Amino acid sequence: CQQLGVQHLFGAEVPVEGKDLVLLASNREGYANICWLLTQAHLRSRDEPTATLEELASANENIFCLTGTEAGPIYRLIDDFKHQEAAQWMHTLYDIFGERLSLEVTHQRRKGDDRRLAHLLQLARQTGVPPVATGDVRFAVPGDYWRYDLLTCA
């Protein structure tokens, strides 16, 4: 990464109370905290590992949190028209991470993405949590797009 001038990021998708969050380490201490959270989650249950909010609150130093996309709770709550619950979850995360929290938004060109994106951006404005655009990598080279398109067409 350094030779090519690429900024590397270390992180993991961490289940917290059954809800997947994307946690990114800003340094070695943040990475150690993510590893500790994953360890606690797996010690609790190997089949369905999950960290607690208390563990997350105690080990959030040097960690940046993304709320997750389809695997995360925000998208499911928005899709189920539970906007108040989505806002409550955002406030809970903001209490833990403060300025180190962003609402992850993505658009995969699927049915319903326009509506979801509009509601996500409204939630970002309502809660004051900045949105960050991400994209799930679905194919390695442009020539493979047709396979992705075929598998996701509606």
Side-chain angles (χ1 to χ4, degrees):
C1 289
Q2 289 176 337
Q3 289 175 347
L4 297 174
V6 175
Q7 175 64 39
H8 61 278
L9 294 173
F10 293 102
E13 192 170 83
V14 178
V16 177
E17 305 214 346
K19 302 170 177 103
D20 291 339
L21 297 175
V22 176
L23 302 181
L24 303 172
S26 61
N27 58 25
R28 288 179 189 265
E29 181 186 350
Y31 181 72
N33 284 337
I34 292 171
C35 290
W36 182 82
L37 286 164
L38 287 168
T39 300
Q40 297 308 305
H42 282 86
L43 286 173
R44 187 170 293 106
S45 170
R46 293 192 78 136
D47 296 327
E48 292 188 36
T50 188
T52 66
L53 279 173
E54 292 78 20
E55 290 166 343
L56 185 63
S58 72
N60 72 74
E61 297 284 326
N62 298 299
I63 294 176
F64 191 89
C65 178
L66 300 177
T67 57
T69 57
E70 281 95 3
I74 298 291
Y75 277 51
R76 287 188 298 245
L77 292 168
I78 292 294
D79 289 347
D80 292 341
F81 299 97
K82 297 179 179 177
H83 299 168
Q84 189 60 35
E85 289 179 42
Q88 289 171 344
W89 179 241
M90 291 287 288
H91 287 298
T92 298
L93 293 176
Y94 188 83
D95 288 344
I96 294 171
F97 290 101
E99 301 290 318
R100 295 174 288 119
L101 173 67
S102 283
L103 174 60
E104 195 169 358
V105 297
T106 187
H107 195 297
Q108 301 295 333
R109 297 176 38 177
R110 294 187 199 138
K111 185 177 180 178
D113 277 0
D114 290 335
R115 183 198 64 78
R116 181 192 292 148
L117 182 60
H119 287 290
L120 288 168
L121 294 175
Q122 180 182 2
L123 179 63
R125 285 189 297 275
Q126 174 188 348
T127 60
V129 174
V132 61
T134 63
D136 293 337
V137 176
R138 302 296 178 169
F139 49 93
V141 294
D144 289 341
Y145 174 75
W146 71 271
R147 286 183 189 97
Y148 165 75
D149 190 43
L150 178 67
L151 293 171
T152 59
C153 66

